Amino acid sequence: REVFWHEYAKIPRHTSQNAITEGDFKCILARNCEGTERLRICEKEEETKVSRVYNFSAGPAVLPEEVLKEAQAEMLDYNGTGMSVMEMSHRSKAFDQIIQEAEKDLRDLMHIPDNYKVLFLQGGASLQFAMIPMNLMKNRKAGYIVTGQWAKKAYQEAQIYGEAVKLASSEDKTFSYIPDCSDLDIPEDLDYVYICENNTIYGTKYKKLPNTKGHTLVADVSSCFLSEPVDVTKYGVIYGGVQKNVGPAGVVIVIIREDLITEDTLPGTPTMLKYKTHADADSLYNTPPCYGIYICGKVFKWLKKMGGLSVMKERNEEKAKILYDFLDQSKLFHGTVVPEDRSLMNVPFVTGNEELDAKFVKEATAAGFVNLKGHRTVGGMRASIYNAMPKEGVEKLVAFMKKFEEENANA
């Protein structure tokens, strides 16, 4: 715009001016009194300024800006194909390279052993609540540790297919802690032990995996996926919906040990809900969520570029400490989770006053800190500070919270 008006100012006053917009260029057509024509082309494209908020949503959630810009640049023409990834066949060489690279990069990041399959599936984490017992409940009996809403839903779903044994629960205190799982009473005939490793709603995280006493461990890691290093060999199945920390909604990644992938599923298990169906077809039995996988692949490359999962854990610990340290000294805001079980990803907090909570959420939103309203079962607020949330975002949130506390000290 500045270049446009600079050129405009040069035109003699006795001429008539008409501004013409053509593509990305700003043109000025000037006819002088002799009838000659001058065309001034401002070759500098006007920069489009995008206003980005700090998005503390629990999911779908913030993605790395670098990834979004790459996807934007490739939207109309991916890698010289002349088409968007949204448009290309999942059987094409271009997409085959996308999905193979995504799997390779994920294996590199997590050090996934060769005897584990990586599956890119649909249906979100919630479909796994049924798919897991359908495929793994050979004795029609499995153990569940219920530490939040999603573990509870998985436990309830499993009861449709067999006996679901509640091994431990923290529901007695609104899921504000992780129960002691070092010496659980685990029946010998259980097919597996199931946990939700990070609880998005309540903000708790297992710091030590349960002692399953030799039984296969199955874990939903949706909201802590790729936030820290993981020893995959400790799990039989580790899975997560990607929309919290990895990519857009529509993809669930299942990492499953090969010996658990068999034809021996519960009677009536649909073809599409058998792990073997997807493992045998390399996640291409039917059309997969192509664009979601493409974005996940870009996030994997971004994570590798950032230094891998050890570096991400350090970054996440640093960000979480900023917020938790403030909550621990604040006279207005209070965390809802016992300190030893606090999540690095999801931080719920309250003022103790519902009207004040609502006022904070409203003013925070107006200030550019969005999606801070807590889940209805906890109330208050929740800040989800996933991998892509910059440290600056947490620092500015805390500064806003301090200001709000000062302004509402007598509320």
Side-chain angles (χ1 to χ4, degrees):
R1 191 175 289 112
E2 288 177 4
V3 174
F4 178 90
W5 287 112
H6 178 71
E7 289 295 308
Y8 182 91
K10 292 180 181 179
I11 299 172
R13 293 292 180 185
H14 60 277
T15 61
S16 61
Q17 297 93 18
N18 296 295
I20 299 174
T21 302
E22 183 175 288
D24 293 324
F25 299 102
K26 306 299 184 205
C27 305
I28 297 174
L29 182 64
R31 293 186 184 276
N32 64 19
C33 56
E34 286 91 14
T36 59
E37 197 172 85
R38 291 201 309 266
L39 185 65
R40 303 180 187 275
I41 301 177
C42 306
E43 293 181 350
K44 182 179 178 182
E45 183 179 347
E46 181 181 9
E47 291 184 6
T48 303
K49 292 185 178 180
V50 178
S51 178
R52 295 277 291 171
V53 295
Y54 289 110
N55 180 13
F56 293 93
S57 172
V62 60
L63 287 169
E65 196 166 305
E66 181 180 320
V67 166
L68 295 177
K69 287 178 178 177
E70 285 181 13
Q72 179 187 43
E74 296 172 348
M75 178 58 73
L76 296 178
D77 179 7
Y78 172 74
N79 202 25
T81 60
M83 69 182 84
S84 170
V85 176
M86 288 185 182
E87 303 170 297
M88 67 176 53
S89 167
H90 63 294
R91 306 293 182 192
S92 66
K93 289 183 179 179
F95 185 74
D96 187 57
Q97 183 179 7
I98 287 171
I99 195 169
Q100 286 194 32
E101 278 191 23
E103 178 176 340
K104 180 182 181 302
D105 287 337
L106 181 60
R107 285 185 177 276
D108 290 345
L109 282 165
M110 296 182 69
H111 304 293
I112 300 172
D114 291 340
N115 65 322
Y116 283 75
K117 288 285 189 180
V118 175
L119 307 177
F120 295 96
L121 305 179
Q122 301 179 66
S126 294
L127 187 58
Q128 294 303 307
F129 299 167
M131 204 164 171
I132 286 162
M134 282 180 169
N135 285 266
L136 303 186
M137 203 182 259
K138 314 297 186 186
N139 297 315
R140 300 270 185 153
K141 192 173 182 179
Y144 283 73
I145 302 173
V146 180
T147 54
Q149 198 88 336
W150 303 114
K152 185 177 181 179
K153 287 188 175 185
Y155 165 69
Q156 291 169 338
E157 188 75 9
Q159 293 175 44
I160 297 172
Y161 304 101
E163 182 182 355
V165 181
K166 188 185 291 185
L167 300 174
S169 173
S170 55
E171 194 168 8
D172 59 325
K173 294 183 179 178
T174 323
F175 300 120
S176 59
Y177 70 100
I178 298 293
D180 181 5
C181 299
S182 60
D183 189 22
L184 297 172
D185 183 12
I186 300 179
E188 282 293 325
D189 57 347
L190 292 188
D191 291 302
Y192 59 85
V193 173
Y194 181 102
I195 65 170
C196 181
E197 194 164 326
N198 187 90
N199 296 288
T200 319
I201 294 173
Y202 302 97
T204 58
K205 168 75 165 67
Y206 284 82
K207 301 302 169 66
K208 186 177 181 181
L209 293 176
N211 176 7
T212 64
K213 299 181 178 177
H215 293 80
T216 297
L217 178 63
V218 176
D220 175 355
V221 297
S222 295
S223 52
C224 62
F225 201 19
L226 301 181
S227 64
E228 60 183 5
V230 172
D231 183 353
V232 175
T233 63
K234 292 183 177 180
Y235 306 81
V237 179
I238 181 169
Y239 77 90
V242 306
Q243 73 275 9
K244 299 177 185 298
N245 214 19
V246 185
V251 183
V252 59
I253 296 174
V254 176
I255 302 164
I256 178 170
R257 205 172 61 227
E258 287 182 342
D259 63 283
L260 299 174
I261 304 171
T262 69
E263 289 281 11
D264 182 19
T265 59
L266 295 187
T269 299
T271 301
M272 276 292 290
L273 297 186
K274 294 179 180 179
Y275 289 129
K276 193 172 191 324
T277 297
H278 301 285
D280 288 350
D282 295 323
S283 300
L284 294 170
Y285 176 76
N286 69 327
T287 307
C290 298
Y291 199 78
I293 294 168
Y294 157 74
I295 297 293
C296 288
K298 287 198 170 294
V299 172
F300 300 155
K301 289 187 184 301
W302 176 79
L303 286 167
K304 292 176 77 172
K305 180 181 175 182
M306 297 298 290
L309 302 190
S310 295
V311 171
M312 292 313 300
K313 183 182 181 183
E314 292 173 7
R315 284 164 50 100
N316 290 328
E317 287 174 337
E318 184 180 13
K319 287 186 297 183
K321 186 177 188 302
I322 293 168
L323 185 48
Y324 283 126
D325 282 354
F326 169 71
L327 291 173
D328 288 342
Q329 60 84 39
S330 173
K331 291 182 172 59
L332 178 62
F333 297 101
H334 309 284
T336 61
V337 174
V338 296
E340 59 268 26
D341 296 328
R342 286 171 167 172
S343 167
L344 297 180
M345 298 286 97
N346 310 102
V347 184
F349 55 95
V350 298
T351 65
N353 181 310
E354 289 187 8
E355 290 184 3
L356 205 55
D357 287 348
K359 182 182 180 183
F360 173 81
V361 171
K362 183 178 180 180
E363 292 186 8
T365 300
F369 306 102
V370 305
N371 294 315
L372 281 166
K373 185 177 180 180
H375 192 271
R376 62 184 180 277
T377 58
V378 180
M381 288 69 67
R382 172 182 53 183
S384 294
I385 49 177
Y386 297 123
N387 286 346
M389 173 59 65
K391 178 183 173 183
E392 171 192 271
V394 180
E395 290 173 334
K396 287 187 175 181
L397 173 63
V398 168
F400 178 80
M401 293 170 72
K402 288 178 179 177
K403 179 175 176 286
F404 184 88
E405 181 168 345
E406 291 169 1
E407 294 173 348
N408 294 273
N410 298 319

